[in-house]
Amino acid sequence: MKNEFELAFKQVITDRNLPEEIILEALKDAMVSAYRRAVKASSAQKVEAEIDLETGEVTIFAEKEVAEDVQDDRTEVKLSEARKVEEDADLGDLVMVESTPDDFGRVAAQTARQVIQQRIRQAERGAQFEYYNERVGEIVTGVVQAIHRNELTIGLNINAEGIMPRSQQIPGEYFRVHDRIRALLLDVEETTREPKIILSRAHRDFLRRLLENEVPEIYQGLVEIRSIAREAGHRSKVAVAALKPGVDPVGACVGVRGVRIQAIVRELSDEKIDVIEWNPNTEEFIAKALSPARVLSVFLNKNTRGMPTATVVVPEDQLSLAIGRNGQNARLSAKLTGWRIDIKGLFEVTSETLFQLKNNPQYALFAEEESESIPKIEAIMEKKAQGRPIQPEEYRELHKFTERVEKELNARREKVKSLIKERMEAAKEAVPDDAYDLPLMTLGLPTRVENILLEEGYENVGDLTYTLLLEPESIADIEGIGPTYIEKIEDSLQVMVGYEPLPEELQIAKEEMLQKDIDLEKLEKDLKGKAAEEEDQEEEETPPSEAEGAEEPVEEKEEETIEDEVGEDEVREEAAEGVEAEEVVVPEDAYDLPLLTLGLPEEIEALLTEAGFENVGDLAQQMYSEPEEISDIEGIGPAAAATIQESLDIMVERKPLPDEGDESDEAEAAPETGEETEPERPEENQGEEE
C-alpha cells in the first residue's frame, strides 16, 4: 500500500491540476527554506533537498569547506567526513555533504507550509494564464459567482475567475448567481496575482463563434463569414459567401425553417440577425446590405477623403426603411460593407442633378447631352411639386435620367484619375535617381531663390524637379518666386538633369475638374490643370495696349508685386521677359557694392542691414521704385531717406528712361485698366512726397 506522503502528494496534484514536477519543485524549495531558517544558514550557501516519494523522507545537502579543525559545523566539515562523499577531497575544497538536522520533519512541516502554499499558488496562476491565453477568441462556459454594479464575476475551469464588464454585456440581459453562461474569451492580462480574464457577449466575434458552432458548413470550410456588423441586443448583419459551387450560404446559416439561426437568436436574447450573401460587385453588395429596403441605384465614389462614399438612391416610400430606426440600418450597412453610405430619395437626387446641370459650368457637357430629356424631367418634378399623381413610367424616367448622369460622371472621374496616375509615373521616370543626391546649390541659382526653396522644404535637385513636373503651380505660388525665377530654375534643371515639361497629352485642363471628383489634396493640385498656366503666359505676352479694358487676374498682380520686392536678377532681364520696366536703370555692378560705400551714418547703415539690404543695387532699386518702403523703416524718417537718396544718386548716377511723359500717361490710365503699373515720377515730385 502506498504511504500517506505519496497519497497526499498525488491528491495535491489532482486537486490543483498541476504537473508533478511543479509540486515536487515547490516541496524542495520549501525544505531548503525550512533548513535555512532552522540552522540560520546564509543565503549564499548552496543548499539542496532530496525527497523520497515512497517514504516521504527528506534529505538536505549543504555545501561546506573541508577543514582540519571545524569551528562552525554549518559551513565546515572534517576531512574524514568529506572523503566519505568524495574520495579525492582535500583541505580547502567545497563539498556537498548531508546536513539533515535531527527531527527535521517536524520542523520542516511547521516552517515550510507557507512556502509550499505560495509556490503552488504561483504555479496555479501561471498554468491558468497559459491555459486561457491559448484560448483567446473562443467561447468558454462558466457560472455566475457574483453580480456587481459594473461587472459580473464568472467562475471558470481550473479554479479561474473571469470578469464581464458592463460594456461587454448585452443590453437588457440579466443574470442571477449560479446561472450558467457562455461568453467569448476576449483577453487575458497577466498581473501580480491571478490573471485578469475578460469575457464578452457583446463582441461581434461572439456571434461569429456561435455561427461556427451551429452551422457545420462554416466549420467545414464550405461557407465563409466575410464580415459582421453588430449592435448587441438590437440588430446584427452577417455577410457570408460560398467557397464551393452549389452551396447556398444564406440557407446553410438559416437552416431548415430557421432552426439554426433561431438557436443563435435565443442565445443572444432575441437579437435580430440579417444574413446577407456577399457579392464581389460592390454596388449589389451595398444594395443587399440595406435589406429589407428596396434600392434603385448605387453610385460609388472611391476618391473621397477618408472612407469611400456610396450614394444610394431609393424610392420615397423606402427612405425611412433604408435608414432604419435612429439610422441603425444605414449604420450597420456601412460597417458591414466598409463604405460611407449616403441614402437619398429619387426626387432629391433628381433635383440635385438638375441644379448641377443648370448652375455648374463643369456640368456643361452633361447638360448638352441631356438637353432633350431635361424638359421632360422638369415636367415630372413640377407634377411632384403640385402634388399630382406620377405614373410608374415617369418614375422609371427619373431613375434612368439620374443613372445616366451619374454613370457618365463616374466614367469621367475614372478617366481623369487614370490620367493623373500616368502623369505621376511620367514625372517619376523623368527624374534621374542621382538627382535626389544633388543639393540645390549645384544649380547655381541666386542665393535668395535658393534660400526660399530651402525654407519650403526642397533640399535636393530631384525633389524640385519632380514637383515642378507634377505640380508647377506649387512652385509658382511660393512667395518670392515669379515667372522670371521659374524660367531660371527650369534652365538650370535642363542643364543639370535634362529637364523637359511633360507632354501635352498628360496635361489636365481646368474644365475637366468635376465638383464631385477627386478630393485628395495631392490629386487636387495635379488637377489644377494646364489652363491656369496658359492663362498666365498669355497675359504676360499680351502688350499693355491690348490688355487695356480687361480685368487682370489676382494671381498676376501678386506675381508682379513679388517681382518688384524681390528684384535682383529679374531687373537685369526685364526687357527679355516683357515685364514693365522700372523708372531708373540700376547698373549691374551696383549689386556688388556693399552699403558702406555710400558713406551713410552708421546708425542708418545698421538699420538698412537689419531690413535686409546687403548691397547698393538692392537699396537703389527699392528706393527708386517704392521710396515709401524705405521711409517706413523704423528709425528712418524723411530726412534720413533724403540722405540715402542723395548718396544713391551720386553712386549709381541716376538716369531716367526715355519717354517719361508717355509712361506717365500710361500710368495714369493704369487704374482704369486694372494694371499695377506705377507712374514714373520726376525727382521734384519724389522730393515733395518725401
Side-chain angles (χ1 to χ4, degrees):
M1 294 180 61
K2 297 183 179 180
N3 59 70
E4 295 181 0
F5 180 85
E6 186 176 2
L7 291 174
F9 182 78
K10 297 295 184 183
Q11 185 176 358
V12 170
I13 293 175
T14 304
D15 294 343
R16 302 290 183 173
N17 195 18
L18 295 173
E20 179 179 334
E21 295 78 11
I22 293 178
I23 302 297
L24 186 59
E25 191 66 27
L27 288 174
K28 289 181 179 180
D29 291 344
M31 295 300 105
V32 171
S33 178
Y35 170 79
R36 293 186 189 279
R37 293 183 182 180
V39 302
K40 298 181 180 180
S42 172
S43 58
Q45 185 180 11
K46 183 178 180 181
V47 180
E48 295 179 354
E50 296 292 340
I51 301 176
D52 189 348
L53 297 180
E54 294 182 358
T55 61
E57 183 179 354
V58 179
T59 306
I60 302 296
F61 295 92
E63 187 179 51
K64 297 181 180 181
E65 183 181 0
V66 180
E68 187 174 354
D69 295 327
V70 176
Q71 302 294 330
D72 188 352
D73 57 357
R74 294 177 301 177
T75 59
E76 295 177 341
V77 63
K78 289 183 178 182
L79 181 60
S80 57
E81 296 293 332
R83 287 186 173 175
K84 292 180 181 179
V85 180
E86 294 184 10
E87 296 180 356
D88 55 350
D90 200 356
L91 295 176
D93 293 345
L94 296 177
V95 181
M96 295 291 295
V97 296
E98 183 181 352
S99 304
T100 307
D102 297 335
D103 197 17
F104 180 69
R106 182 180 60 81
V107 176
Q110 294 176 352
T111 59
R113 179 179 179 182
Q114 183 178 359
V115 177
I116 294 174
Q117 291 178 347
Q118 181 180 0
R119 294 299 177 87
I120 291 176
R121 283 198 298 269
Q122 290 178 355
E124 285 182 336
R125 294 168 189 168
Q128 290 173 355
F129 178 79
E130 292 179 2
Y131 179 83
Y132 285 103
N133 191 44
E134 295 176 355
R135 289 164 175 76
V136 172
E138 298 181 2
I139 292 179
V140 296
T141 304
V143 178
V144 178
Q145 293 182 342
I147 301 175
H148 305 286
R149 181 176 181 180
N150 296 322
E151 63 182 29
L152 296 177
T153 302
I154 300 171
L156 303 173
N157 292 336
I158 62 172
N159 298 326
E161 287 186 356
I163 60 172
M164 185 184 296
R166 179 66 64 183
S167 60
Q168 299 299 332
Q169 300 177 27
I170 297 177
E173 193 174 49
Y174 299 98
F175 297 96
R176 294 177 296 178
V177 179
H178 304 309
D179 284 352
R180 277 194 90 72
I181 185 174
R182 299 172 71 191
L184 178 74
L185 182 55
L186 189 62
D187 192 17
V188 180
E189 300 177 4
E190 192 171 10
T191 63
T192 55
R193 303 186 66 182
E194 290 80 6
K196 186 178 181 181
I197 303 173
I198 302 176
L199 306 177
S200 174
R201 286 176 59 84
H203 199 275
R204 60 182 180 181
D205 284 345
F206 182 53
L207 175 57
R208 182 188 299 272
R209 297 306 179 196
L210 290 175
L211 284 167
E212 291 175 354
N213 294 340
E214 197 69 33
V215 181
E217 287 81 359
I218 296 178
Y219 181 78
Q220 296 170 3
L222 302 177
V223 176
E224 180 184 13
I225 300 175
R226 287 301 183 98
S227 60
I228 296 177
R230 185 183 181 202
E231 291 187 3
H234 301 286
R235 195 183 195 96
S236 297
K237 288 181 179 287
V238 183
V240 294
L243 301 180
K244 185 178 180 181
V247 177
D248 180 12
V250 177
C253 294
V254 174
V256 180
R257 298 181 181 178
V259 174
R260 295 177 177 175
I261 200 67
Q262 286 301 322
I264 299 174
V265 169
R266 287 193 297 270
E267 177 66 33
L268 299 179
S269 301
D270 296 333
E271 179 179 315
K272 296 179 180 179
I273 302 175
D274 296 338
V275 182
I276 301 163
E277 184 178 0
W278 180 84
N279 196 309
N281 188 321
T282 307
E283 291 89 345
E284 295 183 8
F285 181 41
I286 293 176
K288 289 183 179 180
L290 285 168
S291 63
R294 181 167 53 89
V295 175
L296 294 177
S297 301
V298 178
F299 307 114
L300 306 179
N301 185 3
K302 302 179 182 179
N303 302 314
T304 55
R305 186 177 292 108
M307 184 180 294
T309 302
T311 302
V312 179
V313 182
V314 298
E316 298 297 320
D317 58 346
Q318 297 286 306
L319 190 59
S320 59
L321 185 61
I323 296 174
R325 181 179 298 178
N326 299 324
Q328 185 184 76
N329 192 49
R331 189 167 54 250
L332 287 174
S333 300
K335 292 179 181 179
L336 187 72
T337 59
W339 285 73
R340 181 180 177 271
I341 298 178
D342 188 8
I343 302 175
K344 297 181 179 180
L346 179 59
F347 292 106
E348 180 184 358
V349 174
T350 306
S351 177
E352 291 179 356
T353 304
L354 287 174
F355 178 82
Q356 294 291 347
L357 293 175
K358 288 184 177 181
N359 300 281
N360 194 337
Q362 297 172 347
Y363 281 71
L365 179 62
F366 302 123
E368 293 178 2
E369 295 176 355
E370 299 291 339
S371 57
E372 296 182 1
S373 59
I374 288 178
K376 299 178 183 178
I377 301 302
E378 290 178 340
I380 298 174
M381 296 298 293
E382 184 66 23
K383 290 178 64 177
K384 172 65 177 177
Q386 295 175 0
R388 295 160 56 192
I390 298 177
Q391 303 300 322
E393 56 271 13
E394 293 176 331
Y395 276 107
R396 287 193 293 270
E397 186 67 26
L398 294 178
H399 178 212
K400 291 178 181 179
F401 169 73
T402 56
E403 195 169 25
R404 281 197 307 271
V405 175
E406 286 293 337
K407 285 184 177 180
E408 292 173 359
L409 180 65
N410 286 336
R412 180 72 62 83
R413 184 185 296 124
E414 292 300 324
K415 180 181 177 182
V416 173
K417 186 178 178 181
S418 62
L419 186 59
I420 292 172
K421 290 182 179 179
E422 293 179 8
R423 186 177 178 180
M424 289 181 176
E425 293 174 358
K428 188 175 181 180
E429 293 176 358
V431 182
D433 293 338
D434 54 358
Y436 294 97
D437 300 327
L438 298 175
L440 283 183
M441 65 176 63
T442 57
L443 293 176
L445 299 173
T447 305
R448 180 171 296 179
V449 179
E450 185 178 326
N451 292 335
I452 292 174
L453 292 174
L454 288 173
E455 290 177 0
E456 293 295 325
Y458 299 101
E459 299 179 354
N460 56 68
V461 176
D463 291 339
L464 180 61
T465 307
Y466 181 78
T467 306
L468 195 60
L469 284 169
L470 194 62
E471 307 172 33
E473 287 294 325
S474 62
I475 303 296
D477 291 343
I478 297 175
E479 185 177 357
I481 302 292
T484 305
Y485 281 158
I486 291 292
E487 276 198 17
K488 278 185 169 295
I489 294 172
E490 290 179 345
D491 293 342
S492 300
L493 290 176
Q494 186 176 8
V495 175
M496 183 67 65
V497 297
Y499 169 83
E500 290 292 340
L502 295 179
E504 294 184 0
E505 58 267 17
L506 293 179
Q507 304 299 336
I508 304 175
K510 182 183 292 185
E511 55 267 16
E512 290 184 359
M513 294 173 55
L514 299 179
Q515 189 177 35
K516 294 183 180 179
D517 229 0
I518 300 169
D519 290 335
L520 297 175
E521 295 180 1
K522 178 73 175 176
L523 300 182
E524 281 180 351
K525 292 180 180 178
D526 294 337
L527 283 171
K528 285 183 178 178
K530 187 69 176 176
E533 294 180 356
E534 294 175 353
E535 290 175 4
D536 294 343
Q537 293 175 359
E538 290 174 0
E539 289 167 1
E540 289 176 6
E541 296 172 359
T542 303
S545 59
E546 297 179 5
E548 291 183 13
E551 185 177 355
E552 186 173 351
V554 178
E555 294 81 3
E556 185 67 22
K557 293 181 182 179
E558 294 177 353
E559 289 179 358
E560 291 180 3
T561 304
I562 292 169
E563 289 172 3
D564 292 340
E565 294 176 357
V566 176
E568 198 171 287
D569 292 273
E570 297 182 17
V571 177
R572 307 175 193 176
E573 300 177 9
E574 286 171 330
E577 295 299 325
V579 182
E580 184 181 359
E582 300 293 343
E583 295 178 358
V584 176
V585 175
V586 179
E588 293 187 4
D589 55 359
Y591 293 94
D592 300 326
L593 297 176
L595 287 182
L596 56 90
T597 57
L598 292 175
L600 299 172
E602 294 182 359
E603 297 179 356
I604 298 178
E605 184 178 331
L607 292 173
L608 292 174
T609 303
E610 291 179 0
F613 298 100
E614 300 177 354
N615 56 67
V616 176
D618 290 340
L619 182 60
Q621 181 63 42
Q622 187 69 25
M623 173 60 81
Y624 295 148
S625 61
E626 298 180 0
E628 63 276 3
E629 296 293 336
I630 303 297
S631 59
D632 289 344
I633 297 175
E634 186 176 357
I636 295 181
T643 302
I644 296 171
Q645 184 172 345
E646 291 176 2
S647 301
L648 288 173
D649 291 344
I650 297 172
M651 180 65 66
V652 303
E653 298 179 358
R654 184 180 184 194
K655 298 178 181 179
L657 292 174
D659 301 328
E660 289 185 350
D662 297 339
E663 292 185 1
S664 299
D665 296 338
E666 291 177 7
E668 291 175 0
E672 298 177 2
T673 61
E675 297 179 358
E676 277 197 351
T677 306
E678 184 174 349
E680 176 152 352
R681 292 169 293 186
E683 296 181 13
E684 295 80 1
N685 294 343
Q686 291 184 6
E688 291 175 3
E689 292 179 4
E690 292 169 357

